[in-house]
Amino acid sequence: MSDLRFALRQLAKAPGFTAIAVLSLALGIGATTTVFCWIQGILLNPLPGVHRQEEIVVLTTSHADQMWDTCSLPDIKDYREQRDVFAGIIASQVTPACLTIGEQSTWLYGQIATANFFDLLGVQPLLGRLFLPDEDQKPGGNPVLVLGERFWRRQFNGDPSVIGKAVQLNRHAFTVIGVAPASFRGTMSGLICDFWAPLSMHHAVANMGSLEQRDDHWLHTQARLQPGVSREQAQAVVDAVAARLEKSYPNTNQQIRLHVLDFLHAPYGVQPIMGPVLAILLAVSLGVVLIVAANLASLLLARAAGRQKEIAIRLAVGASRVRLVRQLLTESLLLAGLGGGLGIVIAFWAVDLLKRWQPPTPLPIGIGTEINTTTLAFTVCGSIVTGVLFGLIPALRASRPDLNSTLKDGGRTSSSGSSHQRLRSLLVLGEVALSLVLLVGAGLCIKSAQRAYHAELGFKPDRVLLAGLRIGMNGYNEATGKVFYARLQERLARLPGVESVALSSWFPLGFEGGPQHGVTVQGHEQKPGEDSSLPYSIVSPGYFATLGIPLVDGRDFTDHDDDSALKVAIINETMAKRYWPGQNAIGHKFKAAWRELTVVGVAKDGKYRSLNEPPRGFFYTPFRQGVWDLNLGLCLRTRGDPSLFGATLQRELRQLDPNVAVWATITMDDYIKAAFMAPVLASRLLTWLGIVALVLAAMGVYGVVAYVVSQRTQEFGVRMALGASTGDVLRLVIGQGMRVAVLGIGVGLLGAFAVTRLLAGFLYGVSPFDALTFGAVTLGLALVSLLACWLPARRATKVDPVDALRAE
């Protein structure tokens, strides 16, 4: 306690030093804690509420070299038999649904899942019960529903009598059997599910998928490994099963393989989007920690150099070196504690930045970014380690001064030109170099985000409104669904302010991935490892005009392209070049889903899944020639603000069929922001961390130069008394500080050239060695360093020579 009281008095005597040290620590610890919280919530703990989730793996299939997100149920049942490897396998699919209670309808997201879903995940009911083992066996025969706690409290005010209550889900009667705890959000990481229904009710809830077809890969699949079984061992077993299935079912399982992945590498959920961003942020935050460490060490060295006389007197009158080190370490730990406390306050504010910056979407996004006990423990331990590690070296150096020379010094410190100053200069040099590397990386990501916003998408998203429909739940089939969609399209096209209306099963650059089908072309020799599966979309006439997709050859679909006409398709430029290089693709044929399609048009290439994807083949089929998916979406091109047409669309739907409702409307400008999420988040967060690094570097330069100036006050007074001008003193101080900064910038440029090449795969339209970015960051850092040197140098010129000589 005596050491603590003395440390408090010492820090209070140097408020400038204390403020700079505490703020440096707070910025560094706050930034690192925030990034650690994101990594823990998104990558390390992707399934909150799941028991021993480290045993859970993701199962995905692939065809040739094309990875698919999903598996088919017959394949899943075969892999379930490997009980020596898997404790169990579950399958599920996310879907929106309309829940009706009385006269009130609410759209919500949930999952249809196998009966062992909750048991395998170790989720216990908050209320009632969960699925029974046989509640996924009889198609359409298990109309039971489990609600999420959040929805239960929001919709039913936490009323326990909801158990046994009958509700309408997609116009089908369901009975509520239980409530799952709020800690469990489902198995689609980043998405909050509000209900779960058995897989046997898939037609009533999702109106998609097959429980019998082996080639219908539509279920997201996870498994729990048996104790002691590694992922590599499981992969070896499933490889053998896949080879056996290929021989048994050559028509459906040719070149189909199963992959056992940890959740970190799952191809769906929030990990593929945020994983690369968080990897970059982790590297940057570690750089910030190093800058903080160098900053704190240089400040403590400067402070120790200024206290050489005090420490020498203490040693001369009998103080032990251990006692002095303990005292100096107490001061360091006190600084670390104050910095860590303020850093936690900063982290509590910064941790919600991901939620504030996520793009608009009808999906119930839920990214785990709460600061928990693990995060707090990390912060406390980090603060203690920082205080000990970077307070120990200055304490050890300060506790062994040359007593003879220090005590003979007539009141001036002799730190100038000493090893202390050289070490401080080296630390500041490292700070500046690291800051330049981080700022260059942030600058490249900012420029990449700007280029992404102006990327050639292959379509025009402005003035387009998208709307999702789920007419399968209203009793429509393929025949009646075609009539409904045609009548709706006609009604909307007649509305004032609407230029064109179209239908599509999938829209580009959203959160949801699109379907794919295997394609075969007569005469095309498939190369080893070449993927024959291509993404496709079912569209109506007018789709290309509505989205502004140019047709470079051939014609658009027409109302005459129905079941009685020739089966046709429109392909994109990449598909035409791949299968018919140097030829006109119009009139050529290919097979997809066991149907032969004739090419009648070629559309311009575009972006489909991501901004930085390579050119990929894509084809479109007319919805009148077989609606494989009743859940089509509407797209309207308007003359004004498209968001103003939402109410009009709802009114027209009610007049056409009062039972059909839109589950979501969104402008296409907002819809495609999902594709910009990674570069935008990276640019914003790296900008934030880059500013932190810049401030820390400036504080490091300023803190060391200012402290050295304060220790050389008498020297400057003597120089001015002997005739030195104000400019001489300014040049002396600024020159010494800028020499270190310039050297740091030089080292930083070399480091940036070595590091930024790692960003090449993440950047869009920007070279990792962009000269403008390197030049702007170098100039900016040099100006900030100059300002950090000028402020204490200006104070040095204010020294009164008379006071300096009197003190001397």
Side-chain angles (χ1 to χ4, degrees), residues 9 150 197 265 327 406 482 491 511 624 647 650 719:
R9 289 198 301 271
R150 292 179 183 84
H265 298 101
Q327 174 60 54
T406 303
K482 292 176 188 178
R491 292 179 68 97
F511 276 112
R624 290 178 180 272
Q650 294 277 12
R719 286 177 178 271

Side-chain angles (χ1 to χ4, degrees), residues 177 184 473 479 503 532 622 632 656 662 758 770:
I177 59 171
F184 178 66
M473 72 182 197
L503 302 163
S532 63
L632 298 181
L656 185 60
V662 176
L758 301 177
D770 183 65

Side-chain angles (χ1 to χ4, degrees), residues 300-346:
L300 290 173
L301 281 170
R303 180 169 170 78
R307 296 174 65 182
Q308 282 185 0
K309 195 171 188 69
E310 169 204 335
I311 292 170
I313 293 174
R314 287 174 175 271
L315 287 170
V317 297
S320 68
R321 189 182 177 200
V322 172
R323 180 70 180 80
L324 285 174
V325 170
R326 191 182 76 185
Q327 174 60 54
L328 295 172
L329 272 180
T330 301
E331 293 182 23
S332 300
L333 287 171
L334 182 58
L335 285 173
L338 293 172
L342 184 57
I344 290 175
V345 173
I346 293 174

Side-chain angles (χ1 to χ4, degrees), residues 239-308:
D239 283 345
V241 176
R244 187 170 69 247
L245 292 177
E246 184 175 18
K247 292 181 180 178
S248 301
Y249 308 99
N251 291 332
T252 59
N253 285 62
Q254 188 69 29
Q255 291 188 295
I256 298 294
R257 293 291 181 268
L258 192 78
H259 300 270
V260 183
L261 309 172
D262 54 44
F263 244 95
L264 182 62
H265 298 101
Y268 51 82
V270 75
Q271 301 97 311
I273 299 173
M274 291 302 302
V277 176
L278 291 176
I280 293 173
L281 289 179
L282 177 61
V284 172
S285 64
L286 292 176
V288 170
V289 169
L290 291 176
I291 293 173
V292 170
N295 205 344
L296 183 60
S298 63
L299 288 171
L300 290 173
L301 281 170
R303 180 169 170 78
R307 296 174 65 182
Q308 282 185 0

Side-chain angles (χ1 to χ4, degrees), residues 359-403:
T361 174
L363 300 176
I365 300 295
I367 298 176
T369 57
E370 295 79 13
I371 292 182
N372 52 29
T373 53
T374 304
T375 307
L376 290 175
F378 167 81
T379 304
V380 171
C381 292
S383 301
I384 294 173
V385 170
T386 300
V388 172
L389 287 182
F390 302 104
L392 187 61
I393 294 177
L396 291 174
R397 291 180 66 90
S399 64
R400 52 182 184 189
D402 185 344
L403 295 182

Side-chain angles (χ1 to χ4, degrees), residues 419-441:
S419 61
H420 285 268
Q421 185 171 338
R422 288 193 296 272
L423 183 55
R424 289 198 306 271
S425 297
L426 187 62
L427 289 169
V428 173
L429 184 152
E431 284 184 68
V432 173
L434 280 170
S435 299
L436 187 136
V437 173
L438 300 186
L439 288 168
V440 166

Side-chain angles (χ1 to χ4, degrees), residues 10-63:
Q10 288 293 325
L11 295 181
K13 288 179 181 178
F17 161 81
T18 303
I20 291 176
V22 170
L23 187 56
S24 297
L25 281 165
L27 289 173
I29 290 173
T32 308
T33 301
T34 301
V35 174
F36 175 76
C37 182
W38 292 338
I39 290 174
Q40 184 192 34
I42 295 173
L43 301 183
L44 303 182
N45 187 32
L47 299 177
V50 173
H51 183 56
R52 298 201 314 270
Q53 62 176 280
E54 66 278 2
E55 297 176 358
I56 303 294
V57 293
V58 172
L59 304 182
T60 64
T61 51
S62 69
H63 179 270

